[in-house]
Amino acid sequence: MPRFTLEEIRYKFANSTDFNELFDAFEDAIEQKIQDVTLYRLLFWNNSLAPDELCLFGEKLAKEFPDLAYDTYMWLASVFEVTYSSYDNFELAMKYYRKAAKAKPKEETPYLDAADCYDPDLNIPPVDSLITFLKSGLKPVDQKRNMLLRLSYLYQVSGNQEQADYYRSLADDLGRNKN
């Protein structure tokens, strides 16, 4: 039998700073089979939670409701990118972009969002790992042009103009073939 109403859960996710209270509300939401990702986003943005606690909630949510896995991983990646970037050098953001890409292999968004979080002045996340990640998505992703353009840019900022030109050429060819 539910302990909390939907409104009580929503309020706790948004306002509580007590981990046990948040955990109880989360468990109750899972027990009630609430599959509204908007509700869980409130929890993910709760700034009282540490990164490992966010991971715990996100992993459990994705396991309980596989249909929400992609959205959960993308949301966690964006939370880690924005709120914890100075602490972990985007490692957690990249972890969840990879999980999102695995959850929906044909979707380009995890790759593009990961590339967009690159800071060339700090080389965060490391450009080589971003290049590897984007290249891993070229085969399964249907819409490749934007990924090829990001690869071209990443190679250019890394100083490899030959590869930058190569990927720019591939992107241009795809653009011409669509017209």
Side-chain angles (χ1 to χ4, degrees), residues 60-126:
K60 173 90 169 152
L61 182 62
K63 182 180 177 191
E64 291 293 324
F65 304 120
D67 290 345
L68 298 181
Y70 175 80
D71 289 327
T72 299
Y73 296 146
M74 286 298 291
W75 200 256
L76 282 173
S78 66
V79 168
F80 288 129
E81 180 183 337
V82 171
T83 59
Y84 295 103
S85 60
S86 61
Y87 302 112
D88 68 6
N89 295 335
F90 291 94
E91 289 173 18
L92 286 171
M94 290 302 300
K95 173 184 176 178
Y96 285 101
Y97 283 131
R98 285 186 186 94
K99 285 182 171 260
K102 189 174 180 182
K104 284 192 177 180
K106 293 181 181 234
E107 181 61 47
E108 70 178 352
T109 306
Y111 301 100
L112 298 178
D113 286 0
D116 288 345
C117 75
Y118 179 65
D119 182 337
D121 295 331
L122 300 175
N123 192 33
I124 297 173

Side-chain angles (χ1 to χ4, degrees), residues 31-58:
E31 204 172 287
Q32 292 183 49
K33 305 223 181 292
I34 299 172
Q35 296 189 44
D36 178 7
V37 76
T38 307
L39 173 69
Y40 297 104
R41 287 177 182 166
L42 293 171
L43 177 65
F44 297 148
W45 279 115
N46 185 313
N47 61 9
S48 72
L49 293 173
D52 60 328
E53 294 167 337
L54 286 170
C55 292
L56 172 102
F57 287 127

Side-chain angles (χ1 to χ4, degrees), residues 109-178:
T109 306
Y111 301 100
L112 298 178
D113 286 0
D116 288 345
C117 75
Y118 179 65
D119 182 337
D121 295 331
L122 300 175
N123 192 33
I124 297 173
V127 72
D128 293 338
S129 68
L130 278 173
I131 288 171
T132 301
F133 179 53
L134 264 71
K135 287 172 79 173
S136 74
L138 284 176
K139 186 170 183 165
V141 167
D142 290 330
Q143 303 295 320
K144 298 177 187 344
R145 187 167 190 278
N146 288 329
M147 288 178 56
L148 293 168
L149 291 171
R150 295 298 198 301
L151 278 166
S152 175
Y153 167 74
L154 291 171
Y155 273 116
Q156 184 176 9
V157 298
S158 73
N160 188 337
Q161 193 58 48
E162 183 179 328
Q163 285 295 304
D165 293 343
Y166 171 73
Y167 284 100
R168 167 62 76 175
S169 173
L170 289 176
D172 290 346
D173 288 347
L174 279 179
R176 277 192 292 276
N177 289 339
K178 285 191 174 191

